[in-house]
Amino acid sequence: PPARRRRRWRWIVGTVVTFLVLGGLYLAAYLYAGTTIPRGTTVLGIDIGGQTQQEAEATLAEELPPIADADITLLVEEDSYPVVPSDSGLNVDITATVRAAGPGASDPIRLVQVIASGGGPVDPVVVVDRDALAAAIDEVADTADRSPVEGAVAFDAGEVVATLPVEGRQVQREESVDLVAESYLVETGPIPLPVETQPSVVTEDEVTRAVAEFAEPAMSGPIPLVSEAGSSELGTDLLSSVLSMPADDDGALVPRVDAGALLEQSAEQLDALGVPAVDASVRIQSGSPAVVAGQTGRIPDTDTYAEDVLGAAAQTGDARTVTLPLVDAEPEFTTADAEASGVRQVVAEFTTYYPGDSEYRNINIGRAAELANNTFLKPGDTFSMTGVVGQRTTARGFVEG
């Protein structure tokens, strides 16, 4: 019927008109917003809104490097290390960044959103050369890493030398590469790198305790040595050369004394505490050999000497004194040895003449002969003039000449 045909025609015309209107609106929207970056679009604060892709790339190429290539500060605990991104494998892909900003959009919904609200901040597309970044992290870590310094107490020239512990540290390199890559142009401040610490076994408290309880008393002054026959002392220089404080497995500093070195270095002090034994000998008396008996000595008993010195070192005042008992000491060459030596007669004698025109020569040669006279040489011995006569000094009876 004519009425139905008219309604169909109106529907067809309406549909065509609707598509033409929508198409026109789409074309207008595309021409307005589809060929350029949405207005208000920024990359790290750089405005590229309303620009074509080529224009936006040119803008970013000019303005982005000072921002994207500014030094990054890497922190290793309290220490900072600046690195240059472009030298460390960190760069921005400008073309990909502009594409991500949305120029040339053809999606009608996207076009409506762009027209209605514009663009906004766009994150730059970061390109990471992991080998170059790893090399940069290695360079930082090689400088920042340190081995732990153990706490210690030592002695030098009569002084206490205390070493406070320093914690060791190692930058975790693989984790640092991942962290820096993820933080580049995202984090605005310094980037703290992950670190593994290596504590010292000997703590600062232990060093303080060891100094107060042993080291300072040990170096506070000499240790007196006494016996029933004499006295002497161990000076702090000698003590510092034989005392030590090594750490045990639990990190405790334990006082030690080198017993062998103590005996060797304090031989003179020990001699002053006793009466040495005198070897037997043979002398020429009235032209014939005669045995001179040896004499038993009294020397310090050093069985507990090292332990006693170690205990006294931690004390002050009278408690520092070490008392050593004396024990008998037989001569190395006894009277029986001398009697069995086989000396029966004078086997040779001689006289040396010298000019008597200088008084100093008469005195010095006579004194040397006096000291060398009756030197007893056993089989295998070697005579040493210097060893027998000793230093030529006025204290020993010589005069200048």
Side-chain angles (χ1 to χ4, degrees):
R4 181 178 295 177
R5 286 197 297 273
R6 286 195 298 270
R7 286 195 298 272
R8 181 181 296 121
W9 177 249
R10 290 194 200 100
W11 182 84
I12 293 172
V13 172
T15 301
V16 172
V17 170
T18 299
F19 274 107
L20 289 175
V21 170
L22 291 176
L25 291 174
Y26 173 79
L27 178 61
Y30 181 79
L31 293 175
Y32 174 76
T35 59
T36 60
I37 306 294
R39 58 184 176 82
T41 300
T42 60
V43 177
L44 298 180
I46 302 171
D47 187 3
I48 58 172
Q51 300 181 5
T52 65
Q53 178 162 339
Q54 291 75 17
E55 292 171 339
E57 289 183 13
T59 299
L60 292 181
E62 179 181 354
E63 300 183 27
L64 188 59
I67 301 173
D69 208 29
D71 285 357
I72 300 173
T73 299
L74 305 182
L75 287 181
V76 180
E77 295 181 332
E78 70 284 357
D79 300 325
S80 59
Y81 301 88
V83 296
V84 179
S86 59
D87 294 339
S88 307
L90 298 172
N91 292 283
V92 175
D93 187 332
I94 291 179
T95 299
T97 300
V98 172
R99 287 176 181 169
S106 58
D107 181 359
I109 297 176
R110 170 65 176 158
L111 286 174
V112 172
Q113 291 174 342
V114 167
I115 294 172
S117 60
V122 175
D123 291 332
V125 177
V126 173
V127 179
V128 180
D129 182 340
R130 290 188 65 88
D131 290 340
L133 181 55
I137 295 297
D138 285 342
E139 186 174 349
V140 170
D142 289 343
T143 303
D145 287 353
R146 65 174 178 236
S147 300
V149 176
E150 287 294 343
V153 174
F155 306 96
D156 181 44
E159 299 292 335
V160 178
V161 181
T163 302
L164 295 180
V166 177
E167 192 176 60
R169 67 185 183 191
Q170 283 190 333
V171 174
Q172 302 304 287
R173 306 190 183 206
E174 286 294 330
E175 293 87 337
S176 295
V177 170
D178 294 335
L179 177 62
V180 173
E182 294 167 2
S183 302
Y184 174 55
L185 298 180
V186 176
E187 301 293 338
T188 57
I191 303 173
L193 302 184
V195 173
E196 180 180 339
T197 58
Q198 299 169 306
S200 169
V201 175
V202 180
T203 65
E204 184 172 343
D205 287 344
E206 175 59 15
V207 172
T208 302
R209 180 205 65 78
V211 168
E213 294 183 6
F214 181 81
E216 287 184 343
M219 295 295 107
S220 63
I223 293 179
L225 304 178
V226 298
S227 73
E228 62 185 42
S231 63
S232 60
E233 64 179 22
L234 303 176
T236 53
D237 280 355
L238 188 152
L239 289 171
S240 65
S241 68
V242 299
L243 293 176
S244 61
M245 296 195 76
D248 64 13
D249 293 339
D250 297 324
L253 296 174
V254 183
R256 293 282 187 269
V257 61
D258 186 332
L262 175 63
L263 277 173
E264 180 180 348
Q265 296 187 40
S266 63
E268 185 177 342
Q269 288 87 336
L270 292 174
D271 287 344
L273 302 181
V275 179
V278 178
D279 284 346
S281 185
V282 177
R283 288 177 175 269
I284 303 299
Q285 297 177 352
S286 302
S288 300
V291 172
V292 179
Q295 298 178 15
T296 300
R298 297 277 289 167
I299 62 173
D301 183 353
T302 58
D303 285 349
T304 63
Y305 175 46
E307 292 83 353
D308 294 343
V309 169
L310 187 63
Q315 307 301 320
T316 57
D318 293 341
R320 288 177 70 79
T321 300
V322 173
T323 301
L324 286 86
L326 298 181
V327 294
D328 290 340
E330 296 298 326
E332 292 184 7
F333 193 74
T334 65
T335 302
D337 293 332
E339 291 173 344
S341 63
V343 179
R344 296 288 181 266
Q345 62 186 17
V346 176
V347 295
E349 57 184 354
F350 59 89
T351 299
T352 298
Y353 297 93
Y354 58 90
D357 54 351
S358 300
E359 183 63 20
Y360 78 84
R361 182 179 292 117
N362 295 337
I363 294 174
N364 288 344
I365 293 179
R367 179 58 179 152
E370 180 184 9
L371 292 171
N373 192 38
N374 277 314
T375 299
F376 178 51
L377 300 179
K378 298 182 287 296
D381 285 352
T382 299
F383 177 79
S384 166
M385 187 70 169
T386 298
V388 171
V389 173
Q391 294 291 326
R392 282 70 156 170
T393 63
T394 55
R396 293 178 57 81
F398 292 90
V399 296
E400 191 167 337

